[in-house]
PDB file of all heavy atoms in Angstrom:
ATOM      1  N   GLU A   5       1.009  11.625   2.289  1.00  0.00           N
ATOM      2  CA  GLU A   5       1.250  12.569   3.369  1.00  0.00           C
ATOM      3  C   GLU A   5       0.507  13.854   3.067  1.00  0.00           C
ATOM      4  O   GLU A   5       0.639  14.420   1.976  1.00  0.00           O
ATOM      5  CB  GLU A   5       2.752  12.874   3.487  1.00  0.00           C
ATOM      6  CG  GLU A   5       3.615  11.662   3.832  1.00  0.00           C
ATOM      7  CD  GLU A   5       3.441  11.224   5.272  1.00  0.00           C
ATOM      8  OE1 GLU A   5       3.012  12.040   6.103  1.00  0.00           O
ATOM      9  OE2 GLU A   5       3.734  10.049   5.565  1.00  0.00           O
ATOM     10  N   GLN A   9      -1.296  19.480   8.922  1.00  0.00           N
ATOM     11  CA  GLN A   9      -2.258  18.609   9.589  1.00  0.00           C
ATOM     12  C   GLN A   9      -3.437  19.420  10.109  1.00  0.00           C
ATOM     13  O   GLN A   9      -4.577  18.973  10.083  1.00  0.00           O
ATOM     14  CB  GLN A   9      -1.567  17.872  10.724  1.00  0.00           C
ATOM     15  CG  GLN A   9      -2.403  16.765  11.344  1.00  0.00           C
ATOM     16  CD  GLN A   9      -1.643  15.990  12.404  1.00  0.00           C
ATOM     17  OE1 GLN A   9      -0.456  16.242  12.645  1.00  0.00           O
ATOM     18  NE2 GLN A   9      -2.305  15.060  13.053  1.00  0.00           N
ATOM     19  N   ILE A  13      -7.588  29.649   9.908  1.00  0.00           N
ATOM     20  CA  ILE A  13      -7.429  30.916   9.205  1.00  0.00           C
ATOM     21  C   ILE A  13      -8.670  31.768   9.389  1.00  0.00           C
ATOM     22  O   ILE A  13      -9.731  31.285   9.811  1.00  0.00           O
ATOM     23  CB  ILE A  13      -7.192  30.709   7.685  1.00  0.00           C
ATOM     24  CG1 ILE A  13      -8.407  30.005   7.056  1.00  0.00           C
ATOM     25  CG2 ILE A  13      -5.914  29.932   7.434  1.00  0.00           C
ATOM     26  CD1 ILE A  13      -8.378  30.014   5.562  1.00  0.00           C
ATOM     27  N   LEU A  19      -5.891  29.763   1.145  1.00  0.00           N
ATOM     28  CA  LEU A  19      -5.088  28.701   1.744  1.00  0.00           C
ATOM     29  C   LEU A  19      -4.814  27.609   0.715  1.00  0.00           C
ATOM     30  O   LEU A  19      -5.550  27.462  -0.268  1.00  0.00           O
ATOM     31  CB  LEU A  19      -5.821  28.085   2.940  1.00  0.00           C
ATOM     32  CG  LEU A  19      -7.100  27.338   2.584  1.00  0.00           C
ATOM     33  CD1 LEU A  19      -6.940  25.833   2.814  1.00  0.00           C
ATOM     34  CD2 LEU A  19      -8.279  27.876   3.358  1.00  0.00           C
ATOM     35  N   ASN A  24       1.083  14.564  -0.727  1.00  0.00           N
ATOM     36  CA  ASN A  24       2.310  14.113  -1.393  1.00  0.00           C
ATOM     37  C   ASN A  24       2.558  12.629  -1.191  1.00  0.00           C
ATOM     38  O   ASN A  24       2.265  12.070  -0.134  1.00  0.00           O
ATOM     39  CB  ASN A  24       3.520  14.890  -0.845  1.00  0.00           C
ATOM     40  CG  ASN A  24       3.445  16.351  -1.162  1.00  0.00           C
ATOM     41  OD1 ASN A  24       3.491  16.762  -2.312  1.00  0.00           O
ATOM     42  ND2 ASN A  24       3.293  17.157  -0.125  1.00  0.00           N
ATOM     43  N   TYR A  35     -11.632  14.587  -0.752  1.00  0.00           N
ATOM     44  CA  TYR A  35     -12.881  14.477  -0.016  1.00  0.00           C
ATOM     45  C   TYR A  35     -12.926  15.542   1.073  1.00  0.00           C
ATOM     46  O   TYR A  35     -11.894  15.986   1.577  1.00  0.00           O
ATOM     47  CB  TYR A  35     -13.001  13.096   0.661  1.00  0.00           C
ATOM     48  CG  TYR A  35     -13.211  11.933  -0.263  1.00  0.00           C
ATOM     49  CD1 TYR A  35     -12.151  11.387  -0.986  1.00  0.00           C
ATOM     50  CD2 TYR A  35     -14.467  11.355  -0.424  1.00  0.00           C
ATOM     51  CE1 TYR A  35     -12.341  10.307  -1.828  1.00  0.00           C
ATOM     52  CE2 TYR A  35     -14.658  10.266  -1.260  1.00  0.00           C
ATOM     53  CZ  TYR A  35     -13.591   9.755  -1.953  1.00  0.00           C
ATOM     54  OH  TYR A  35     -13.783   8.672  -2.794  1.00  0.00           O
ATOM     55  N   GLY A  42     -19.773  10.986   6.996  1.00  0.00           N
ATOM     56  CA  GLY A  42     -18.788  10.316   6.169  1.00  0.00           C
ATOM     57  C   GLY A  42     -18.178  11.268   5.170  1.00  0.00           C
ATOM     58  O   GLY A  42     -18.708  12.346   4.912  1.00  0.00           O
ATOM     59  N   ASP A  67       2.511  16.926 -12.201  1.00  0.00           N
ATOM     60  CA  ASP A  67       2.873  16.378 -13.506  1.00  0.00           C
ATOM     61  C   ASP A  67       3.239  14.895 -13.418  1.00  0.00           C
ATOM     62  O   ASP A  67       2.924  14.106 -14.321  1.00  0.00           O
ATOM     63  CB  ASP A  67       4.058  17.146 -14.100  1.00  0.00           C
ATOM     64  CG  ASP A  67       3.672  18.553 -14.511  1.00  0.00           C
ATOM     65  OD1 ASP A  67       2.456  18.796 -14.697  1.00  0.00           O
ATOM     66  OD2 ASP A  67       4.572  19.408 -14.633  1.00  0.00           O
ATOM     67  N   LYS A  70       2.269  12.263  -8.507  1.00  0.00           N
ATOM     68  CA  LYS A  70       2.645  11.824  -7.165  1.00  0.00           C
ATOM     69  C   LYS A  70       2.115  12.777  -6.098  1.00  0.00           C
ATOM     70  O   LYS A  70       2.153  12.458  -4.912  1.00  0.00           O
ATOM     71  CB  LYS A  70       4.172  11.782  -7.029  1.00  0.00           C
ATOM     72  CG  LYS A  70       4.860  10.725  -7.863  1.00  0.00           C
ATOM     73  CD  LYS A  70       6.351  10.748  -7.582  1.00  0.00           C
ATOM     74  CE  LYS A  70       7.069   9.692  -8.381  1.00  0.00           C
ATOM     75  NZ  LYS A  70       8.533   9.707  -8.073  1.00  0.00           N
ATOM     76  N   ASP A  71       1.659  13.936  -6.500  1.00  0.00           N
ATOM     77  CA  ASP A  71       1.246  14.917  -5.513  1.00  0.00           C
ATOM     78  C   ASP A  71       0.079  15.730  -6.044  1.00  0.00           C
ATOM     79  O   ASP A  71      -0.192  15.775  -7.252  1.00  0.00           O
ATOM     80  CB  ASP A  71       2.408  15.840  -5.153  1.00  0.00           C
ATOM     81  CG  ASP A  71       3.024  16.482  -6.371  1.00  0.00           C
ATOM     82  OD1 ASP A  71       2.485  17.506  -6.835  1.00  0.00           O
ATOM     83  OD2 ASP A  71       4.017  15.940  -6.882  1.00  0.00           O
ATOM     84  N   HIS A  75      -6.387  24.415  -3.355  1.00  0.00           N
ATOM     85  CA  HIS A  75      -6.311  25.833  -3.011  1.00  0.00           C
ATOM     86  C   HIS A  75      -7.722  26.367  -2.831  1.00  0.00           C
ATOM     87  O   HIS A  75      -8.584  26.140  -3.698  1.00  0.00           O
ATOM     88  CB  HIS A  75      -5.582  26.607  -4.113  1.00  0.00           C
ATOM     89  CG  HIS A  75      -5.430  28.065  -3.818  1.00  0.00           C
ATOM     90  ND1 HIS A  75      -4.441  28.549  -2.977  1.00  0.00           N
ATOM     91  CD2 HIS A  75      -6.150  29.138  -4.223  1.00  0.00           C
ATOM     92  CE1 HIS A  75      -4.543  29.858  -2.888  1.00  0.00           C
ATOM     93  NE2 HIS A  75      -5.569  30.243  -3.641  1.00  0.00           N
ATOM     94  N   ALA A  79     -11.679  31.992   1.838  1.00  0.00           N
ATOM     95  CA  ALA A  79     -12.311  30.945   2.646  1.00  0.00           C
ATOM     96  C   ALA A  79     -13.528  31.476   3.396  1.00  0.00           C
ATOM     97  O   ALA A  79     -13.572  32.639   3.833  1.00  0.00           O
ATOM     98  CB  ALA A  79     -11.299  30.374   3.627  1.00  0.00           C
ATOM     99  N   GLY A  85     -13.773  21.945   7.909  1.00  0.00           N
ATOM    100  CA  GLY A  85     -13.946  20.492   7.831  1.00  0.00           C
ATOM    101  C   GLY A  85     -12.600  19.806   7.703  1.00  0.00           C
ATOM    102  O   GLY A  85     -11.550  20.442   7.731  1.00  0.00           O
ATOM    103  N   LEU A  86     -12.657  18.494   7.558  1.00  0.00           N
ATOM    104  CA  LEU A  86     -11.460  17.679   7.358  1.00  0.00           C
ATOM    105  C   LEU A  86     -11.339  17.382   5.871  1.00  0.00           C
ATOM    106  O   LEU A  86     -12.260  16.831   5.269  1.00  0.00           O
ATOM    107  CB  LEU A  86     -11.574  16.378   8.150  1.00  0.00           C
ATOM    108  CG  LEU A  86     -10.408  15.383   8.039  1.00  0.00           C
ATOM    109  CD1 LEU A  86      -9.165  15.943   8.719  1.00  0.00           C
ATOM    110  CD2 LEU A  86     -10.799  14.041   8.648  1.00  0.00           C
ATOM    111  N   TYR A  87     -10.226  17.746   5.274  1.00  0.00           N
ATOM    112  CA  TYR A  87     -10.008  17.523   3.852  1.00  0.00           C
ATOM    113  C   TYR A  87      -9.056  16.339   3.688  1.00  0.00           C
ATOM    114  O   TYR A  87      -7.936  16.342   4.198  1.00  0.00           O
ATOM    115  CB  TYR A  87      -9.439  18.774   3.185  1.00  0.00           C
ATOM    116  CG  TYR A  87     -10.479  19.859   3.082  1.00  0.00           C
ATOM    117  CD1 TYR A  87     -10.747  20.692   4.159  1.00  0.00           C
ATOM    118  CD2 TYR A  87     -11.237  20.023   1.921  1.00  0.00           C
ATOM    119  CE1 TYR A  87     -11.731  21.665   4.086  1.00  0.00           C
ATOM    120  CE2 TYR A  87     -12.217  20.999   1.838  1.00  0.00           C
ATOM    121  CZ  TYR A  87     -12.461  21.806   2.924  1.00  0.00           C
ATOM    122  OH  TYR A  87     -13.436  22.760   2.854  1.00  0.00           O
ATOM    123  N   ALA A  90      -7.092  11.032  -1.410  1.00  0.00           N
ATOM    124  CA  ALA A  90      -7.076   9.578  -1.533  1.00  0.00           C
ATOM    125  C   ALA A  90      -6.510   9.203  -2.886  1.00  0.00           C
ATOM    126  O   ALA A  90      -6.984   9.675  -3.917  1.00  0.00           O
ATOM    127  CB  ALA A  90      -8.480   8.996  -1.365  1.00  0.00           C
ATOM    128  N   GLU A  93      -5.405   3.156  -6.349  1.00  0.00           N
ATOM    129  CA  GLU A  93      -4.432   2.153  -6.758  1.00  0.00           C
ATOM    130  C   GLU A  93      -5.125   0.823  -6.958  1.00  0.00           C
ATOM    131  O   GLU A  93      -6.247   0.607  -6.494  1.00  0.00           O
ATOM    132  CB  GLU A  93      -3.312   2.022  -5.723  1.00  0.00           C
ATOM    133  CG  GLU A  93      -3.780   1.679  -4.329  1.00  0.00           C
ATOM    134  CD  GLU A  93      -2.629   1.504  -3.340  1.00  0.00           C
ATOM    135  OE1 GLU A  93      -1.551   1.050  -3.748  1.00  0.00           O
ATOM    136  OE2 GLU A  93      -2.837   1.812  -2.164  1.00  0.00           O
ATOM    137  N   SER A 100     -10.046  -4.889  -9.441  1.00  0.00           N
ATOM    138  CA  SER A 100     -10.515  -4.022  -8.365  1.00  0.00           C
ATOM    139  C   SER A 100      -9.567  -2.858  -8.168  1.00  0.00           C
ATOM    140  O   SER A 100      -8.433  -2.859  -8.647  1.00  0.00           O
ATOM    141  CB  SER A 100     -10.647  -4.817  -7.076  1.00  0.00           C
ATOM    142  OG  SER A 100      -9.363  -5.149  -6.566  1.00  0.00           O
ATOM    143  N   PHE A 105      -6.062   6.577   1.728  1.00  0.00           N
ATOM    144  CA  PHE A 105      -6.306   7.920   2.208  1.00  0.00           C
ATOM    145  C   PHE A 105      -5.096   8.488   2.928  1.00  0.00           C
ATOM    146  O   PHE A 105      -4.349   7.761   3.594  1.00  0.00           O
ATOM    147  CB  PHE A 105      -7.488   7.924   3.182  1.00  0.00           C
ATOM    148  CG  PHE A 105      -8.833   7.866   2.515  1.00  0.00           C
ATOM    149  CD1 PHE A 105      -9.395   6.650   2.163  1.00  0.00           C
ATOM    150  CD2 PHE A 105      -9.532   9.029   2.239  1.00  0.00           C
ATOM    151  CE1 PHE A 105     -10.628   6.595   1.547  1.00  0.00           C
ATOM    152  CE2 PHE A 105     -10.772   8.984   1.627  1.00  0.00           C
ATOM    153  CZ  PHE A 105     -11.326   7.767   1.279  1.00  0.00           C
ATOM    154  N   THR A 109      -6.261  17.077   6.440  1.00  0.00           N
ATOM    155  CA  THR A 109      -5.970  18.415   6.960  1.00  0.00           C
ATOM    156  C   THR A 109      -7.244  18.939   7.587  1.00  0.00           C
ATOM    157  O   THR A 109      -8.273  19.035   6.907  1.00  0.00           O
ATOM    158  CB  THR A 109      -5.523  19.372   5.838  1.00  0.00           C
ATOM    159  OG1 THR A 109      -4.262  18.952   5.328  1.00  0.00           O
ATOM    160  CG2 THR A 109      -5.418  20.800   6.364  1.00  0.00           C
ATOM    161  N   LYS A 110      -7.155  19.256   8.873  1.00  0.00           N
ATOM    162  CA  LYS A 110      -8.329  19.792   9.560  1.00  0.00           C
ATOM    163  C   LYS A 110      -8.306  21.297   9.439  1.00  0.00           C
ATOM    164  O   LYS A 110      -7.428  21.972   9.981  1.00  0.00           O
ATOM    165  CB  LYS A 110      -8.328  19.371  11.025  1.00  0.00           C
ATOM    166  CG  LYS A 110      -9.622  19.718  11.736  1.00  0.00           C
ATOM    167  CD  LYS A 110      -9.700  19.075  13.104  1.00  0.00           C
ATOM    168  CE  LYS A 110     -11.026  19.373  13.773  1.00  0.00           C
ATOM    169  NZ  LYS A 110     -11.137  18.760  15.110  1.00  0.00           N
TER     170      LYS A 110
END
Side-chain angles (χ1 to χ4, degrees):
Chain A
E5 298 287 338
Q9 190 176 357
I13 62 168
L19 66 112
N24 295 295
Y35 290 78
D67 290 340
K70 293 183 179 181
D71 54 83
H75 182 80
L86 179 69
Y87 289 82
E93 57 178 328
S100 71
F105 282 86
T109 293
K110 189 170 183 180

